[in-house]
Amino acid sequence: QVQLVESGGGLVQAGGSLRLSCAASGRTFSNVAMGWFRQAPGKERDFVAAIRWSGGNTYYADSVKGRFTISGDNAKNTVYLQMNSLKPEDTAVYYCAAASIYYSRSLNYLNANVYDYWGQGTQVTVSS
């Protein structure tokens, strides 16, 4: 089992920045990739960003490219999401997730279904 705990959410004005953290514990050696997803009220959970530990490849949703950066610290079993130039439409609950299966097709990590473990979520609210 892997436990994920997110932190760093909050209220910020449009144009501001936040940094989310996700600390993993437990069987972290089984993690192949980690991702961030978000869910706004009344909407489906959407992919935001992902990082594959082997090679450090990163992937982003088009809506956040150039504004968000995902990074990880293997030694601390922690993944980060730096969010800059925030917009009101970024308001959502942000979830961290971990995948334990390796896929040669990296685009698989944009799919929530490949992730085995999820955090409890952290609220991000961007005011206009």
Side-chain angles (χ1 to χ4, degrees):
Q1 288 289 331
V2 175
Q3 294 78 41
L4 303 173
V5 178
E6 303 101 332
S7 61
L11 173 64
V12 64
Q13 288 188 334
S17 298
L18 282 175
R19 187 194 196 203
L20 304 184
S21 299
C22 174
S25 60
R27 296 173 59 89
T28 57
F29 60 86
S30 66
N31 290 349
V32 173
M34 295 187 73
W36 288 96
F37 291 76
R38 66 186 181 186
Q39 188 168 19
K43 295 188 177 182
E44 294 185 350
R45 189 171 297 190
D46 291 330
F47 169 77
V48 175
I51 182 169
R52 191 160 65 176
W53 291 124
S54 175
N57 302 85
T58 57
Y59 314 94
Y60 297 94
D62 288 342
S63 59
V64 306
K65 279 181 182 176
R67 299 189 298 123
F68 291 11
T69 302
I70 188 171
S71 62
D73 185 332
N74 253 329
K76 295 182 179 180
N77 293 316
T78 301
V79 65
Y80 306 97
L81 185 68
Q82 177 67 43
M83 306 186 295
N84 298 329
S85 302
L86 282 161
K87 305 175 181 179
E89 50 264 44
D90 294 318
T91 295
V93 177
Y94 283 70
Y95 296 91
C96 172
S100 60
I101 296 177
Y102 176 83
Y103 293 95
S104 58
R105 183 175 178 267
S106 57
L107 289 178
N108 283 346
Y109 294 110
L110 279 61
N111 186 339
N113 291 331
V114 310
Y115 291 87
D116 309 286
Y117 306 101
W118 292 83
Q120 81 289 350
T122 185
Q123 176 70 46
V124 171
T125 302
V126 184
S127 63
S128 57

